[in-house]
Amino acid sequence: MTSPILLRSAGVALLLDAGGPQLPRVLHWGPDPGDLDDDALGRLVADLQPGVARSAFDEPWPFPLLPGQVDGWTGRTGLSGSRDGLAPYPNLELAEPAEVHTDGAAQALTVRGMDREAELEVGCELRLEESGLLRVRHTVTNTGDGIYALDGLTALLPVPDRAGELLDLTGRWCREHSPQRQPFTYGTHARESRRGRTGHDATLLLVAGTPGFGFRSGEVWAVHTAWSGNHLHLAERLPEGAGAGGSGILAGGELLLPGEVRLEPGESYATPWIFFTYSADGLDAASARLHQWLRARPQHPRSPRPLVLNTWEAVYFDHDLETLTRLAEQAARVGVERFVLDDGWFGARRDDDRGLGDWWVAPDVWPQGLRPLADRVRALGMDFGLWFEPEMANPDSDVVREHPDWVLTPSARSWRQQVVLDVANPDAYAYLLESISGVVDEAGVAYIKWDHNRDLHVAVGTLSGRAGVHEQTAAVYRLLDELRARHPGLEIESCSSGGARIDLGILEHTDRIWGSDTNDPLERQLIQRWEGLLVPPELVGSHVGDTVSHTTHRASSLGLRTATALFAHAGLELDVTKCTDDELAALTAWAGFYKEMRGLLHSGDVVRADLPDDALLHGVVSRDRREALYAFVRLTTSAQEQTGRLLLPGLDPGLEYDVVHRPEAGAATAVEKSPTPWFERGAARASGAVLGRVGLPTPRLDPAQAVVLHVRAL
Ligand code: GLA
């Protein structure tokens, strides 16, 4: 007997057959076939039944939620584990009819399954959100008497055969999110992270698409695991198929270490949310579903994102009240709204080597505490932010000397002279909560930059003696939540040596991510382009650094630096007391422009054009498509003399627009005798159809230059 379930939203559909006896079979995830009545749906499910294969099972392969060996699935299984080696092949049957209900604007399918012999129960939740984003979470409960050692619980969805190409991201410190592409061949493409944090090389999204897909074209299916510890993303293809008109699957889940999750009788484990996003029109539309979902969350930051000055690349560890007060005063004159004091204010932390973990204000550097600076900052009209790195400590610190038993990674190799504290240890947790809370109250901290500067190798729970990454990650989420509950309005940024903790798990508990430790704008253009697939601009910190980048030692124009930081939650990270008058004037004009445009930048749809590698065009288009801001960035010189036309993506073909160059966003230098008349005039007028389909001649810029175009409907 079949029992079809069709969920549809915003052009996306998920079709399942919940007729049992196994868990619902996934028959389709992708474009919406439209409204189907019961008859049509019944016929469709019957017609989708595949034929019986040769030299194979005597029945067609099913592809249920949580597929495993009993379903003939020989790929990575949905659920794996055992009872001391017994019950290795879960046989999950539908325990009661699957249920669909609406929850707000989402359609939610809940399924309960059971393996009576292995004494396991599973719960599957699939939520098709209003934006067409699909979120999946599975739970397993040990209903038996003994221990169930869980090896993995993963969410898998089939993708059709036309998804013949894979895209994922990799990277390193100061060069996060570097794309790589390959054909989606048979076998497993696994992106596994055992770093104990998301990682600089985290893929953010693992994408399968029709060959040649880009930002604006092609069909794409993508998966993201919303978890900040060890995790995996999989693309797998088997010759016998995944039962849904194709042979490939995408999957995501937490990566569990040996013995890490042992369920006592009655205990449950739930996966993080696994996000699946589909688009018929390239990566931008898949990314827009994620952005729309994030923006609809109740906790999403809705107040204007304040312009930041972070002190790190301005003064590093060189703290004193007088210097920092002068820095704050100059920052306020430029238009800064949030002043963040970075590393070096606590314990014996005068350099990288000591004092980390001692969360009390250093009396030698701050004899009167942080109040005098924090009060001055507030008097100047800015709020006060402070750096912490709660999970870490230098071995040369009071906290480690007094509590060596709190160290999660005692046998790990040294990494930036730090060890990791076991936040799941209640005493360490209480110490962190109370000491951070005390400083927040004492100095009136409105914003925490929460750093995390090493991988968690050989993490062993100090109380359990077992692999401790899962517990650590959950405890950190709890600590973040408890701090935010104690200090209403406190905002928290997730930083991890730049962008090594960017995922939708941490973003459930924080308000912004630090994109990368490189403020070199050429690097940042590329990093932001890919990071922006997952995270909308208002949640990404990006700062204007020094002329010569501190991480690449490359010099860049102020215009490129400001135009780059503009398309984010913007800030400054340089010593503004040393800027020339011209630089200060440019920064002040830019700060005003950021404030004028942030309403649009932080609510509109992000668009990116598919251009050759020597240039980028990206922008943000308002939801009503009446206004947009684009940046055209010439990364390197072009082999071509005339560099073609710029097609502005995302506009309404039926509206008439003014296109205006806004130099306040950043001044650019053009090729000498630049013969681009419209750009020399600084303005053009045309319909959205013309701008999107015919285009305007590309401004002929020198390399490493950017121009920002403001487009408004008449
Ligand atoms: C990390 C962060 C930087 C800065 C330093 C301070 O590297 O990513 O932004 O805060 O730590 O030590």
Side-chain angles (χ1 to χ4, degrees):
M1 204 193 61
T2 63
S3 172
I5 292 177
L6 179 63
L7 308 181
R8 306 168 50 227
S9 190
V12 178
L14 179 73
L15 174 65
L16 304 110
D17 173 15
Q22 71 275 70
L23 293 181
R25 294 185 300 133
V26 186
L27 302 178
H28 171 78
W29 163 48
D32 182 1
D35 195 13
L36 301 177
D37 62 23
D38 289 352
D39 274 1
L41 209 49
R43 277 196 312 277
L44 175 61
V45 169
D47 289 346
L48 287 179
Q49 182 79 349
V52 173
R54 294 169 306 165
S55 186
F57 288 121
D58 299 326
E59 283 172 25
W61 267 276
F63 184 79
L65 295 169
L66 296 173
Q69 289 261 314
V70 296
D71 311 296
W73 176 248
T74 54
R76 302 270 183 112
T77 50
L79 168 64
S80 59
S82 76
R83 294 186 179 279
D84 199 14
L86 301 179
Y89 307 119
N91 183 8
L92 296 166
E93 296 201 331
L94 200 57
E96 60 198 23
E99 239 185 71
V100 181
H101 64 279
T102 49
D103 179 10
Q107 298 156 63
L109 169 70
T110 52
V111 176
R112 210 162 63 82
M114 218 123 88
D115 179 340
R116 287 191 174 78
E117 225 166 281
E119 298 180 302
L120 294 173
E121 190 177 308
V122 296
C124 308
E125 284 173 86
L126 291 88
R127 291 176 59 96
L128 186 62
E129 305 288 344
E130 193 178 14
S131 74
L133 181 70
L134 181 63
R135 297 198 295 141
V136 180
R137 178 168 68 179
H138 298 305
T139 307
V140 58
T141 304
N142 177 7
T143 54
D145 291 334
I147 299 246
Y148 184 73
L150 181 66
D151 294 335
L153 187 58
T154 306
L156 298 88
L157 282 186
V159 293
D161 279 346
R162 60 187 186 278
E165 187 170 314
L166 295 178
L167 164 76
D168 60 342
L169 308 177
T170 184
R172 59 162 168 85
W173 180 66
C174 285
R175 187 65 161 86
E176 296 85 345
H177 323 313
S178 196
Q180 54 181 7
R181 279 183 185 252
Q182 58 194 284
F184 190 171
T185 52
Y186 292 100
T188 309
H189 180 63
R191 293 299 315 279
E192 299 185 332
S193 169
R194 290 179 187 77
R195 301 180 181 285
R197 58 173 165 174
T198 326
H200 288 110
D201 63 339
T203 185
L204 306 187
L205 288 178
L206 172 56
V207 187
T210 48
F213 68 85
F215 286 104
R216 308 296 302 173
S217 69
E219 267 185 291
V220 299
W221 293 257
V223 59
H224 168 77
T225 300
W227 185 247
S228 317
N230 295 334
H231 64 279
L232 60 91
H233 292 97
L234 290 180
E236 185 159 47
R237 200 156 197 174
L238 297 179
E240 62 262 39
S247 52
I249 60 109
L250 288 180
E254 183 180 2
L255 195 152
L256 299 177
L257 295 170
E260 191 167 36
V261 174
R262 286 161 52 88
L263 298 177
E264 300 279 345
E267 259 184 5
S268 299
Y269 164 87
T271 65
W273 283 105
I274 314 300
F275 289 65
F276 293 92
T277 181
Y278 164 79
S279 150
D281 307 303
L283 293 164
D284 277 358
S287 160
R289 298 190 198 282
L290 289 154
H291 293 185
Q292 281 166 32
W293 178 79
L294 282 162
R295 285 172 170 170
R297 299 170 309 153
Q299 80 268 35
H300 194 74
R302 290 192 168 73
S303 55
R305 300 291 74 210
L307 186 70
V308 170
L309 183 133
N310 177 290
T311 62
W312 181 240
E313 290 194 359
V315 300
Y316 292 102
F317 288 107
D318 214 356
H319 288 196
D320 74 78
L321 178 60
E322 200 190 315
T323 310
L324 285 158
T325 303
R326 264 191 286 115
L327 189 64
E329 287 166 352
Q330 187 68 294
R333 280 193 284 274
V334 168
V336 167
E337 300 162 304
R338 170 173 290 163
F339 184 87
V340 182
L341 183 64
D342 211 281
D343 196 356
W345 56 268
F346 49 89
R349 182 83 166 173
R350 301 295 77 77
D351 57 34
D352 259 4
D353 295 349
R354 59 194 60 82
L356 185 62
D358 294 341
W359 302 116
W360 53 86
V361 181
D364 46 336
V365 191
W366 298 98
Q368 304 160 66
L370 293 174
R371 266 277 164 192
L373 177 67
D375 286 345
R376 181 74 189 122
V377 162
R378 280 185 285 272
L380 289 163
M382 301 181 285
D383 67 28
F384 182 67
L386 197 59
W387 183 94
F388 288 89
E389 193 180 2
E391 293 122 287
M392 303 293 162
N394 289 128
D396 184 356
S397 63
D398 288 356
V399 70
V400 172
R401 270 186 294 275
E402 282 162 31
H403 305 283
D405 53 318
W406 289 356
V407 175
L408 182 72
T409 53
S411 65
R413 284 165 185 265
S414 180
W415 177 312
R416 211 184 159 184
Q417 299 85 44
Q418 20 189 96
V419 291
V420 186
L421 299 182
D422 183 0
V423 184
N425 178 316
D427 294 337
Y429 181 100
Y431 161 72
L432 291 172
L433 177 65
E434 295 311 328
S435 55
I436 296 172
S437 227
V439 178
V440 167
D441 279 337
E442 209 288 306
V445 172
Y447 177 82
I448 289 180
K449 176 176 173 185
W450 186 294
D451 214 334
H452 181 283
N453 282 312
R454 68 159 295 166
D455 286 358
L456 266 58
H457 298 126
V458 243
V460 179
T462 53
L463 300 176
S464 68
R466 297 181 184 284
V469 174
H470 173 80
E471 282 300 313
Q472 175 82 351
T473 311
V476 171
Y477 286 170
R478 277 201 310 279
L479 181 58
L480 287 159
D481 291 347
E482 204 167 344
L483 277 164
R484 293 208 300 183
R486 264 199 199 187
H487 306 280
L490 176 70
E491 289 190 13
I492 302 182
E493 168 180 46
S494 166
C495 168
S496 185
S497 348
R501 190 149 65 180
I502 300 176
D503 62 79
L504 299 187
I506 201 74
L507 274 169
E508 274 303 283
H509 311 275
T510 56
D511 307 281
R512 143 172 153 149
I513 51 105
W514 176 228
S516 174
D517 272 355
T518 185
N519 291 323
D520 179 327
L522 280 176
E523 300 295 310
R524 268 305 180 104
Q525 281 290 340
L526 299 172
I527 292 170
Q528 284 169 206
R529 179 176 184 76
W530 295 102
E531 159 178 284
L533 276 184
L534 186 69
V535 190
E538 65 274 21
L539 299 182
V540 178
S542 182
H543 296 168
V544 176
D546 255 347
T547 308
V548 176
S549 157
H550 292 199
T551 55
T552 61
H553 308 115
R554 174 164 54 194
S556 59
S557 68
L558 182 57
L560 181 64
R561 282 176 278 146
T562 52
T564 302
L566 181 70
F567 286 82
H569 177 187
L572 303 172
E573 193 162 334
L574 75 170
D575 186 350
V576 279
T577 65
K578 299 212 173 91
C579 288
T580 64
D581 289 346
D582 284 352
E583 286 169 336
L584 286 174
L587 285 174
T588 310
W590 169 77
F593 185 60
Y594 167 71
K595 291 173 194 173
E596 177 191 334
M597 300 310 304
R598 64 186 158 190
L600 166 65
L601 288 166
H602 297 166
S603 66
D605 290 336
V606 176
V607 295
R608 308 151 188 97
D610 293 297
L611 296 187
D613 286 348
D614 55 24
L616 300 177
L617 172 72
H618 62 87
V620 178
V621 182
S622 66
R623 303 286 351 251
D624 64 5
R625 299 206 276 173
R626 299 193 60 82
E627 189 178 6
L629 202 66
Y630 295 95
F632 171 68
V633 189
R634 171 140 296 293
L635 300 169
T636 64
T637 56
S638 164
Q640 227 167 278
E641 183 59 27
Q642 297 288 352
T643 45
R645 292 194 187 140
L646 273 191
L647 304 179
L648 300 182
L651 297 175
D652 182 338
L655 289 176
E656 194 75 4
Y657 294 94
D658 271 335
V659 181
V660 179
H661 173 214
R662 298 293 300 263
E664 314 94 298
T669 60
V671 173
E672 273 173 45
K673 299 193 207 143
S674 164
T676 322
W678 83 266
F679 185 63
E680 290 199 308
R681 277 199 315 274
R685 175 173 292 182
S687 69
V690 166
L691 294 170
R693 295 170 192 162
V694 180
L696 293 170
T698 305
R700 300 182 67 223
L701 303 182
D702 288 326
Q705 300 291 325
V707 290
V708 170
L709 305 173
H710 191 188
V711 178
R712 261 174 299 188
L714 299 188

